[in-house]
Amino acid sequence: KAGVTQTPRYLIKTRGQQVTLSCSPISGHRSVSWYQQTPGQGLQFLFEYFSETQRNKGNFPGRFSGRQFSNSRSEMNVSTLELGDSALYLCASSLRLEPVSPLHFGNGTRLTVT
Amino acid sequence: GQQLNQSPQSMFIQEGEDVSMNCTSSSIFNTWLWYKQDPGEGPVLLIALYKAGELTSNGRLTAQFGITRKDSFLNISASIPSDVGIYFCAGQTSTGANNLFFGTGTRLTVIP
C-alpha cells in the first residue's frame, strides 16, 4: 500500500510569492492534516480536512490556506511568502476522525523562502 | 497551545544499551503517540496508546500511557545503530479531531 505522497519535495521561492503544495493520502484515508516543522518551533498543526471540509485550524495567519478534493487529495497554499515561512511542510493522513486513528506522515516538502 | 515537555533532549548511548525517554504535559490527552523521524523524512509512527495505563510493545520498543493521562514514556531495549534518529511524542486531546501536539523531540545517537 503506498504511503502518503507529497509533491514537490523541495521548493525555493522569493518573498512575496505564493506557493501550492500537494498531498495524496494513503488509499482509503479520508482525513488529511498539515503540519509545519521548523528548528525553532518544532512541529505545529496547520489545519485538518475531512470530506472536503476544514475541521480544525491551528494558530497560523490567513496567508495559510488549504483544501481537500473529493478523492481526499489535499493542497495547501501560502500567499505573500515571508522568510519565516521557510520550513518542512508535512502532510499526514488518517482513516477517520472518530474513533481517533493514528496519523501517517509523508516525507514533506521543504520550502525555502529567499 | 498545549506544551509537551520531552526529555532528555539528546542521548548518546552504546550499541546494546537500553534507552528510556518520556513526555509530560500540563493537559490531559486521550491518545499518546510516539514517532521516529530520520533526516529528510517525515515522522514514522512507532506506537499508539489509547487508554490510561496501557502498556504496548512493538518489537524492542515499549511505551506506556500514564495513569494521569498527562504523561507517557518510551523504552528501547538493546539499541542498534539504526535506532539513530529523533523521537517525538505526540498527544491528541479530543475525538473528532486529528490535530496532534508534539513534544520537542529526543535526538538519539547510538555509538557502535
Side-chain angles (χ1 to χ4, degrees), chain A residues 34-46 60 84-90 105-111, chain B residues 37-38 40-43 86 88 102-105:
Chain A
W34 289 89
Y35 288 79
Q36 182 196 64
Q37 186 175 29
T38 59
Q41 300 297 319
L43 281 147
Q44 295 188 90
F45 172 72
L46 280 157
F60 279 82
D85 296 333
S86 294
L88 180 66
Y89 289 89
L90 292 161
F105 285 84
N107 285 329
T109 294
R110 182 162 298 280
L111 172 65
Chain B
Q37 187 173 26
D38 291 329
E41 298 184 7
I86 302 178
F88 291 97
F102 279 86
T104 49

Side-chain angles (χ1 to χ4, degrees), chain A residues 4-56:
Chain A
V4 177
T5 305
Q6 292 188 245
T7 56
R9 285 299 306 272
Y10 302 94
L11 266 178
I12 300 176
K13 293 284 188 178
T14 56
R15 275 183 301 176
Q17 286 187 314
Q18 74 158 11
V19 67
T20 298
L21 312 180
S22 180
C23 172
S24 293
I26 293 172
S27 177
H29 284 197
R30 297 174 61 194
S31 168
V32 174
S33 306
W34 289 89
Y35 288 79
Q36 182 196 64
Q37 186 175 29
T38 59
Q41 300 297 319
L43 281 147
Q44 295 188 90
F45 172 72
L46 280 157
F47 29 65
E48 176 187 23
Y49 287 86
F50 185 85
S51 294
E52 302 177 65
T53 302
Q54 187 179 92
R55 299 302 178 112
N56 291 287

